Amino acid sequence: LCSHRHVRKPADPGADGQALCAGWLAARAAGGHRAEPCLLVHLGQVCGTRIVPCPCGCCPPERESMKFTVAIDGPAAAGKGTISKAVAAHFGFAHLDTGLLYRAVGAKVLGGANAVDAAEMLMPADLEAGNLRTAEVAEAASKVAAIPEVRRALVEFQQSFARRSGGAVLDGRDIGTVICPEAEVKLFVTATPEVRAQRRLLELQASGSETTFDEVLADVLARDARDAGRTDAPMKVAEDAVLIDTSEMEIADAVDAALAEVERRRDLA
Ligand code: C5P
């Protein structure tokens, strides 16, 4: 199914009638010294095969399956969701909002389920539930997220998502520290609690909620304390993470900073 066989015949790509690989051609046009992900789409997914030309520029390019993980952590409403989606769209990587896993478990607990059972039996369809973005579910999520067995039940899914071919962006609280300590890129996106509360207030008001700034700030602070204070996988900045403080930044500038960091690491990889 993969039309990369042409890469084995780089002296004359396309001669056997197969599609040319955009990444290989771009690498060749750039002098054969850059590694590029192949952007061909197979079965609806960007191939992501890494085309690594020999530094001398005259040898056949080698290919290797590209596993490239971008870990984006940070507290609620700091902008990591927007940044993660933008990074994934820009590079053609898959994106997983890991908060949804905990929210889905939290929603089930609100419905009467046992937290550990809910985490162990979580199905992809559970992530589509309509109520996952509410403040009530967010609070339930941060409570179940402090239970070690719940976290353990969700590790494998996140790690296999991170290792998928073609690149992956995962955002959460412990991605760079626990789930993917080997991630090629680690970002920690943050902002002051007041700025985050103000952003969340506007979102909640836009969806018809009649809450106040003080209530939202109290929720933000309580969630931060719970997420940073738990013993198992607390939210913290990984030692090798790049910090992006969005308190006084336009979101477009924060996205640009993230894209630049990923680009830099991709060129080094
Ligand atoms: O990111 P989001 O606000 O949707 O996450 C909801 C809650 O899920 C967080 O407050 C946190 O307690 C928990 N969470 C976590 N680890 C992650 C992602 C989310 O503990 N990787």
Side-chain angles (χ1 to χ4, degrees), residues 113-189:
N114 169 275
V116 178
D117 292 347
E120 285 173 350
M121 293 188 293
L122 206 63
M123 306 294 285
D126 296 330
L127 307 183
E128 313 284 328
N131 62 342
L132 299 187
R133 293 285 167 206
T134 64
E136 193 191 13
V137 169
E139 195 190 344
S142 87
K143 287 182 182 160
V144 301
I147 304 171
E149 292 84 355
V150 167
R151 303 200 73 82
R152 212 173 303 135
L154 301 175
V155 165
E156 197 181 320
F157 172 73
Q158 296 175 76
Q159 289 181 335
S160 58
F161 189 97
R163 284 194 299 266
R164 62 171 42 209
S165 190
V169 181
L170 287 83
D171 73 88
R173 303 290 187 288
D174 62 340
I175 308 302
T177 49
V178 174
I179 302 295
C180 307
E182 310 295 333
E184 279 76 9
V185 182
K186 295 182 191 177
L187 305 176
F188 193 90
V189 181

Side-chain angles (χ1 to χ4, degrees), residues 76 80 97-99 102-103 133 141-142 145 151 158 172-175 223 227 230:
K80 64 182 189 310
D97 169 0
T98 63
Y102 295 92
R103 284 175 183 260
R133 293 285 167 206
S142 87
R151 303 200 73 82
Q158 296 175 76
R173 303 290 187 288
D174 62 340
I175 308 302
R223 202 133 74 91
D227 289 346
R230 66 182 173 228

Side-chain angles (χ1 to χ4, degrees), residues 41-66:
V41 173
H42 306 290
L43 297 174
Q45 288 209 326
V46 173
C47 171
T49 297
R50 226 171 149 66
I51 311 296
V52 187
C54 166
C56 80
C58 61
C59 301
E62 297 163 11
R63 72 196 188 106
E64 60 187 42
S65 181
M66 192 183 89

